Amino acid sequence: MSIPTELKYTPSHEWIRVEADGSITIGITQHAQELLGDMVYVEAPAVGRSLNAGEECAVVESVKAAADVYAPVSGTVTANNSELDSSPEAINSAPYDAWIFKMQPADASAVASLLDAAAYQAVVDSEAH
Amino acid sequence: MLIFERSHPSRRNAAQAPQAMAAVNIPAALLRKTAPLLPEASEMDVVRHYTNLSQKNFSIDTHFYPLGSCTMKYNPRACNTLAMLPNFLARHPLAPAHTGQGVLACLYDLQEILKEVTGMAGVSLMPMAGAQGEFAGIAMIQAYHASRGDTARTEIIVPDAAHGTNPATAVMCGYKVREIPTNADGDVDLDALRAAVGPQTAGLMLTNPSTLGVFETHIEDIKHIIHDAGGLLYYDGANLNAILGKVKPGDMGFDVIHSNLHKTFATPHGGGGPGAGAVGVAARLLPFLPLPVVAKLPSPTSGRGVGGEGAVEYRYLTEADLPLSIGHLSAFTGNIGVLLRAYIYAKMLGADGMHRVAEFATLNANYLMAELQKVGYRIAFPQRRASHEFIVSCKPLKDATGISAMDVAKRLLDKGYHPPTTYFPMLVPECLLIEPTETESKETLDAFVAAMKEIWDEAHATPDLVKGAPYSQPVRRLDDVKAARELDLTWKA
Amino acid sequence: MPFIPHTSQDVSSMLASIGVAEIDALFDEIPAHLKSGSLTALGAGLNEMQVARLMRDRAAQDTPLLNFIGAGAYEHHIPAAVWELATRGEFYSAYTPYQAEASQGTLQVLYEYQTMMASLTGMDVSNASLYDGASGLAEAMLMAVRAHKTSRRILVPATVSPFYRSTARSIVKLQDIELVEIPYDRATGTVDMAALAQHAGTDFAALVIPQPNFFGALEDVDALTNWAHANGGLAIALVNPLSLALLKPAGLWGDNPHPNPLPGGEGTNAALRAPVGADIAVGDGQPLGAPLSSGGSYFGFMCCKQALVRQMPGRIIGRTVDLDGKQGFTLTLQAREQHIRRAKATSNICSNQGLMVTAATIFMSLLGQDGLRRVAAASHQNSQRLAALASGIAGVSVLFNTPTFHETVLQLPKPVAEVLANMANAGILGGYDLSADYPELGNALLVCATETKTEEDLQQFVASLQAAIA
């Protein structure tokens, strides 16, 4: 499977896209959605909520599993994707389009230290063993 | 067809309700304006409907039910008949103790029986299911540490193989959960345990034999590690049937236990409950037992005991007797009807019968394990004895044929067997957790092995046939994704 | 051997297949010194005839008296078909319906049950049961705290059953949830609205609203629900399901929608803004077909608004289709539950009270909407009649001037314990003595007369009360 090189990643399988205005958009990776299976529900954080890096802030739920989504960096939630309320399966069909929430990072430099595609590939490979 | 679809406006059962519609003296603002959606059907319609529905179930009374970790043994009919004697059913929970000396005597005796077979110093019968027994147990551990002013203990340790109820219980009791891994033999990883304990350790929750179907051979090392760290040892009695009459949890060093009477003591599962999760404790936890506990008083105070001269009298102990108790877990006194059934079962078994439970449950499990291994199924821990249950991993079968544990399970329905527990414990991929219980005959086990052999052959010859199973049930495989995405939880007219 | 079918030939051939000489060898991984000796106290096993004799003797020591106690457990007629059907082996000895294809019977019963309970309570959804009403109230409190997200305080009127308050406290206190008692009005026996108003503007997750309350009195549920919502909390309805055949369903209480959104409510969960009505309804299902049985088994029910469904504890059944498009039923929303969510589950509950729910579903089907209303109305009328007759006795009066459902508090001229002991000698359980839980009420007796009581029974109660007081 191909891991988009323009995105950043976390070891807990979130992807992060840095937008032109310095905000970031967060979703879960292709690998994560495969592990979870058919998505049935997404609970995203409220707009305005302030998050610390690594804080549990969203839940993605399939029939047989549920997983927490963690804030990749500290910051404030600026948007959440209400389309996932009615079509959570978008995460299965297009995980890199089906964003869950957006944040304004407290410290822009924190984003740079997230994993790149190659490093994330290594995380996925190590889990296969 | 749903019962609502058998309903006809204004049809009613004249025999079941008061003849007259009484006057209601309640202000209109407090009354309901429209009738609730309840069926309007005749008695015979209702009886046929639910009789027909019952026939859409597998049950112990109709099928072999080797559901791992659930102990689906025969539920003796005498236990039901005698627990439903009219006087037992009629008594109000707040009626005075002298009007309930019969039921209280049964409960007291059951407490004593459980004390003996588990090796604990005291028992409370009040928890209404295994999970509530766990809650009571961990709440007692919390109360014990708190009573000593030891408030630094904030963690409960749980092996990764544990039932989900264990970590969920620890959280309900305000604890953080620390998981520890299992080694290749299915035992707790002792090094990891040593590294995990400390002044923050309130206790360890352990199922033994574990959910992996093996006896924890280092139980005494575990006991020392936990006790040396100042923690307490909790026994999850989900698998007590494996050692009933053979090993007592109290002798293994456990400080607090729960026992699922709906497993080990043959009370019915009732399509989900009610159960009973009696708890037993070592002496140091006696003051914290959940209320009420039944006491036997040698010198009756009311003069209304049983047996005339020299009579004894039974009564409930309350807050006044046990001021440090963790308190009440139900409005009244737990699942009395289940407790009576367990008592009757224990009395029918007696000491000898109790010893044989673990022996024959273990014999059946080891026999089934040996026979399934001969068919070709991969046993998860072949180097170990099975306890009363064991695990088959369908991973090699899936790799070879594409047939998963779920497919095997569904195909078993077509062969007339309830499937084993699937995909638990999660540590073993594609697992079937198989528990035959002591009440099944060799012929039943042999027939089950033959069915598993047929499925093995079908998996290799006609895998699509297996993947499409079941074919013989009221429905085929259900769309769980649709059920969760498009919630339909109530019928609408 | 009781319930073990093995012949000695079976045993030897099975041992041979395993490759051991004797059964004891199967326990060779267990340290020898841990193996227990004989079970001396247990005694020899009894056969069915012997155990039947024992249990009949024990049952004979339970002396049923003419019962006027309610206080959370109510004597009602149970149609014969209810337990005939519920104890069929196919229901009685089935497990939790994890294998949906082989459990359509149980699953459909539970789906029908959910429909009936949701309709009775006027809520959107129901779970498949909790242990009992009191532990169910504790679960409702935990659920309210999860949904509210910012407060861990629950307002609990003193008119909620003391048994329920005590149980709820045992269960929720370990999660640092504070239960704040709201006093009642001594004239009405209902929540003191002025005292409640003092909590306006304070932080609380929910207000518990009992209907009828422990005194049998009917609360002003509309005002209480509105107050809870206006002040940023959820409304937890604690209801007797039988009373709902007559009374306004919890889902329609009040007319003041939730603050929008709830404090701390998540953006995508804006559906938390429920329209009118209580947010959660719980109670004990015992009046629906469970015999008194010295206290159990009963069952707890829980219903809620759609928006809160993912916060519900316990099993939930959904309707779906199979591979061929045929209707079928299955456990759903399991990701809330302990077997998947483990430490983050909504509750640790696993086993529920399935068989009691099966009985309740059959009970409600047999009575139907008309029959349930007749039972409720007759119970109401009998308790009114009892109160009228009793208050004709010199020195006895009805304590509260408030409408009731089927229980009433009587003020007696003598200590209640003494009166009850005298009545018991005459074969009557005269009611529940309130003086320990509510000492401020003096000699107060809670009495209940359901549809099971005849005019003769009521007269007998009055004669016995009169004699006990004299």
Side-chain angles (χ1 to χ4, degrees):
Chain A
M1 98 192 96
S2 71
I3 296 179
T5 52
E6 70 277 16
L7 302 178
K8 292 286 198 176
Y9 300 90
T10 66
S12 49
H13 308 291
E14 289 89 8
W15 58 256
I16 299 95
R17 186 171 68 227
V18 183
E19 309 293 352
D21 62 357
S23 70
I24 58 173
T25 302
I26 295 104
I28 66 166
T29 66
Q30 166 75 12
H31 177 70
Q33 72 81 17
E34 275 179 10
L35 289 177
L36 288 163
D38 290 326
M39 216 54 73
V40 298
Y41 181 69
V42 178
E43 184 182 316
V47 173
R49 181 169 159 193
S50 136
L51 298 171
N52 294 316
E55 186 177 338
E56 292 167 6
C57 60
V59 180
V60 286
E61 193 182 299
S62 68
V63 174
K64 302 287 183 197
D68 293 304
V69 178
Y70 302 91
V73 296
S74 299
T76 306
V77 178
T78 57
N80 54 48
N81 186 356
S82 59
E83 284 178 19
L84 295 178
D85 289 354
S86 55
S87 47
E89 63 274 18
I91 288 181
N92 299 115
S93 54
Y96 296 108
D97 293 332
W99 60 279
I100 297 173
F101 64 103
K102 294 176 189 281
M103 288 175 77
Q104 188 62 47
D107 172 9
S109 67
V111 179
S113 58
L114 296 169
L115 305 178
D116 64 15
Y120 179 63
Q121 180 73 59
V123 170
V124 173
D125 291 346
S126 72
E127 284 190 2
H129 298 290
Chain B
M1 190 181 256
L2 290 152
I3 188 71
F4 308 105
E5 295 165 311
R6 297 183 192 279
S7 181
H8 286 272
S10 80
R11 180 171 290 159
R12 65 183 196 87
N13 278 318
Q16 312 294 358
Q19 283 97 335
M21 183 68 85
V24 172
N25 179 26
I26 293 172
L30 295 173
L31 295 176
R32 82 181 294 147
K33 306 280 188 290
T34 55
L37 178 60
L38 296 178
E40 296 172 277
S42 72
E43 175 168 353
M44 193 173 75
D45 283 344
V46 172
V47 168
R48 277 195 189 144
H49 178 76
Y50 290 103
T51 301
N52 286 325
L53 280 188
S54 78
Q55 292 172 346
K56 294 185 178 182
N57 268 2
F58 274 39
S59 66
I60 299 171
D61 282 4
T62 53
H63 297 85
F64 179 41
Y65 217 121
L67 195 62
S69 200
C70 300
T71 311
M72 299 297 281
K73 63 168 81 175
Y74 175 61
N75 306 148
R77 278 279 150 184
C79 301
N80 184 53
T81 304
L82 298 173
M84 291 187 80
L85 289 173
N87 280 11
F88 289 139
L89 298 185
R91 184 171 174 270
H92 193 283
L94 298 170
H98 73 79
T99 67
Q101 290 296 298
V103 66
L104 290 172
C106 294
L107 299 180
Y108 179 82
D109 285 354
L110 179 60
Q111 287 175 184
E112 293 298 306
I113 290 168
L114 292 175
K115 275 162 66 176
E116 183 176 39
V117 300
T118 61
M120 307 307 286
V123 163
S124 167
L125 303 172
M126 290 303 108
M128 291 177 283
Q132 211 188 32
E134 292 180 31
F135 178 90
I138 300 303
M140 283 190 275
I141 289 175
Q142 195 276 342
Y144 169 79
H145 292 310
S147 75
R148 294 155 46 91
D150 188 351
T151 55
R153 300 190 179 273
T154 55
E155 275 185 12
I156 291 285
I157 301 174
V158 176
D160 56 4
H163 290 110
T165 49
N166 288 181
T169 296
V171 169
M172 275 190 94
C173 292
Y175 284 110
K176 289 200 279 280
V177 177
R178 182 181 285 228
E179 272 204 358
I180 50 163
T182 302
N183 69 23
D185 285 333
D187 286 336
V188 166
D189 181 331
L190 290 184
D191 291 335
L193 180 62
R194 285 191 193 94
V197 299
Q200 78 287 0
T201 304
L204 166 72
M205 299 180 84
L206 193 69
T207 309
N208 190 20
S210 74
T211 60
L212 299 169
V214 294
F215 188 87
E216 180 60 62
T217 46
H218 301 295
I219 180 61
E220 290 176 295
D221 296 325
I222 293 171
K223 172 183 75 176
H224 289 306
I225 293 168
I226 295 298
H227 284 167
D228 290 351
L232 298 185
L233 202 53
Y234 180 87
Y235 180 81
D236 179 327
N239 292 342
L240 182 64
N241 210 56
I243 57 169
L244 190 65
K246 215 65 188 169
V247 183
K248 299 178 179 182
D251 292 346
M252 290 191 266
F254 285 95
D255 300 290
V256 51
I257 72 159
H258 88 262
S259 167
N260 301 74
L261 302 184
H262 48 293
K263 297 179 181 178
T264 313
F265 287 81
T267 71
H269 287 74
V279 285
V281 292
R284 58 178 160 167
L285 290 174
L286 281 171
F288 308 106
L289 279 171
L291 295 171
V293 177
V294 184
K296 180 180 182 177
L297 308 177
S299 348
T301 47
S302 72
R304 284 178 160 133
V306 178
E309 197 68 27
V312 295
E313 182 185 3
Y314 300 92
R315 74 167 177 94
Y316 286 124
L317 299 180
T318 65
E319 287 88 345
D321 307 288
L322 291 169
L324 295 178
S325 162
I326 60 162
H328 288 266
L329 301 172
S330 63
F332 300 111
T333 45
N335 284 330
I336 299 270
V338 178
L339 299 171
L340 286 176
R341 285 167 175 80
Y343 173 63
I344 297 160
Y345 173 77
K347 291 301 285 184
M348 291 182 83
L349 254 55
D352 287 347
M354 206 68 78
H355 284 302
R356 283 192 291 257
V357 166
E359 291 177 357
F360 284 82
T362 303
L363 174 68
N364 275 0
N366 279 279
Y367 175 69
L368 203 50
M369 181 168 88
E371 294 297 307
L372 287 176
Q373 192 168 23
K374 287 172 198 166
V375 172
Y377 286 98
R378 167 78 58 86
I379 304 299
F381 299 99
Q383 73 276 31
R384 302 290 308 268
R385 296 280 185 216
S387 61
H388 66 319
E389 63 187 355
F390 62 96
I391 296 174
V392 161
S393 172
C394 293
K395 181 82 172 31
L397 181 67
K398 189 179 183 188
D399 290 345
T401 66
I403 294 303
S404 67
M406 183 60 70
D407 298 326
V408 173
K410 298 301 183 194
R411 188 63 178 146
L412 272 169
L413 294 172
D414 288 332
K415 310 279 181 191
Y417 296 96
H418 193 282
T421 297
T422 52
Y423 299 97
F424 179 85
M426 289 174 254
L427 299 181
V428 179
E430 295 296 327
C431 70
L432 298 172
L433 179 61
I434 305 177
E435 180 185 0
T437 84
E438 73 279 8
T439 60
E440 298 294 340
S441 67
K442 177 173 178 297
E443 300 93 274
T444 300
L445 304 183
D446 288 341
F448 177 75
V449 171
M452 288 290 282
K453 170 81 168 76
E454 286 172 21
I455 295 171
W456 178 270
D457 293 341
E458 288 170 357
H460 290 86
T462 52
D464 285 346
L465 175 73
V466 183
K467 282 181 189 158
Y471 304 95
S472 59
Q473 299 303 305
V475 292
R476 296 185 62 201
R477 287 192 211 188
L478 292 160
D479 187 342
D480 289 333
V481 175
K482 177 183 165 71
R485 276 189 193 152
E486 303 163 30
L487 289 177
D488 173 357
L489 309 180
T490 59
W491 185 80
K492 280 140 198 111
Chain C
M1 290 182 280
F3 316 119
I4 294 176
H6 300 62
T7 65
S8 55
Q9 201 175 4
D10 290 338
V11 173
S12 36
S13 84
M14 291 168 82
L15 290 172
S17 168
I18 299 166
V20 295
E22 53 181 15
I23 290 178
D24 251 0
L26 300 174
F27 295 89
D28 57 7
E29 290 181 4
I30 301 177
H33 63 277
L34 285 182
K35 289 183 193 162
S36 51
S38 58
L39 300 167
T40 48
L42 191 50
L46 304 181
N47 69 17
E48 199 170 290
M49 186 177 75
Q50 294 164 321
V51 83
R53 177 65 180 268
L54 169 72
M55 295 308 290
R56 289 204 171 92
D57 288 350
R58 287 279 170 83
Q61 290 161 7
D62 280 8
T63 41
L65 308 183
L66 187 62
N67 175 48
F68 290 88
I69 312 177
Y74 301 101
E75 183 180 355
H76 292 291
H77 173 69
I78 302 171
V82 169
W83 284 97
E84 291 266 341
L85 292 168
T87 54
R88 284 180 64 93
E90 300 95 324
F91 287 134
Y92 184 80
S93 72
Y95 193 69
T96 301
Y98 287 124
Q99 291 290 339
E101 300 89 341
S103 313
Q104 286 297 299
T106 288
L107 286 162
Q108 185 175 329
V109 169
L110 294 174
Y111 180 83
E112 292 178 354
Y113 162 81
Q114 289 175 181
T115 303
M116 293 177 196
M117 293 312 294
S119 176
L120 264 181
T121 58
M123 308 298 279
D124 299 322
V125 294
S126 164
N127 75 3
S129 77
L130 300 167
Y131 305 131
D132 80 333
S135 60
L137 176 61
E139 289 280 12
M141 291 172 175
L142 297 174
M143 178 172 161
V145 166
R146 284 194 297 275
H148 189 273
K149 289 186 190 228
T150 57
S151 177
R152 303 184 81 75
R153 292 169 78 237
I154 307 276
L155 307 183
V156 188
T159 57
V160 168
S161 160
F163 311 123
Y164 280 46
R165 283 183 279 146
S166 158
T167 300
R169 194 176 305 113
S170 310
I171 295 172
V172 307
K173 70 180 175 193
L174 296 178
Q175 294 187 54
D176 290 328
I177 290 168
E178 184 192 354
L179 303 185
V180 181
E181 185 171 304
I182 307 296
Y184 62 93
D185 182 318
R186 289 286 296 279
T188 63
T190 58
V191 174
D192 181 339
M193 293 302 288
L196 180 63
Q198 291 174 12
H199 294 272
T202 67
D203 179 41
F204 68 97
L207 168 68
V208 178
I209 306 173
Q211 185 75 329
N213 70 24
F214 188 65
F215 300 136
L218 297 178
E219 299 276 2
D220 185 350
V221 291
D222 292 328
L224 291 167
T225 305
N226 284 342
W227 186 90
H229 287 167
N231 287 283
L234 280 77
I236 299 174
L238 175 64
V239 289
N240 174 335
L242 178 68
S243 76
L244 292 173
L246 295 177
L247 300 179
K248 189 173 188 178
L252 297 178
W253 292 357
D255 51 15
N256 187 8
H258 252 291
N260 183 6
L262 265 184
E266 298 290 17
T268 51
N269 259 3
L272 268 184
R273 40 180 120 120
V276 296
D279 303 281
I280 305 169
V282 289
D284 202 297
Q286 179 274 331
L288 305 174
L292 291 171
S293 301
S294 286
S297 301
Y298 302 163
F299 69 93
F301 62 87
M302 179 184 274
C303 302
C304 71
K305 297 291 192 186
Q306 184 79 35
L308 293 173
V309 68
R310 280 191 158 75
Q311 296 299 338
M312 261 220 276
R315 295 176 185 136
I316 300 174
I317 282 72
R319 181 162 65 161
T320 183
V321 295
D322 74 358
L323 284 174
D324 299 332
K326 185 178 174 188
Q327 165 182 284
F329 303 89
T330 186
L331 290 165
T332 192
L333 295 180
Q334 293 189 72
R336 299 165 298 114
E337 293 188 70
Q338 47 75 29
H339 62 284
I340 290 178
R341 250 344 214 145
R342 297 179 76 84
K344 289 175 180 164
T346 52
S347 168
N348 70 341
I349 192 168
C350 182
S351 286
N352 57 21
Q353 304 283 114
L355 196 67
M356 312 313 294
V357 163
T358 302
T361 309
I362 299 167
F363 178 93
M364 287 188 277
S365 295
L366 281 167
L367 285 167
Q369 47 181 247
D370 178 82
L372 207 64
R373 189 181 162 84
R374 280 168 193 263
V375 173
S379 300
H380 168 71
Q381 191 182 47
N382 270 345
S383 71
Q384 297 248 305
R385 170 86 179 139
L386 186 72
L389 289 171
S391 56
I393 302 171
V396 177
S397 59
V398 172
L399 189 54
F400 302 119
N401 59 351
T402 306
T404 58
F405 171 50
H406 68 359
E407 276 183 290
T408 305
V409 181
L410 298 177
Q411 186 91 59
L412 304 186
K414 288 174 90 172
V416 178
E418 197 182 310
V419 174
L420 287 179
N422 284 333
M423 292 177 80
N425 285 337
I428 291 184
L429 294 176
Y432 178 70
D433 181 357
L434 293 172
S435 52
D437 299 305
Y438 301 91
E440 68 279 9
L441 293 179
N443 300 325
L445 173 69
L446 180 65
V447 293
C448 175
T450 65
E451 89 286 3
T452 57
K453 298 297 171 286
T454 63
E455 177 67 17
E456 291 71 33
D457 294 336
L458 302 181
Q459 295 292 350
Q460 205 184 330
F461 173 92
V462 171
S464 153
L465 176 58
Q466 193 152 23
I469 288 169

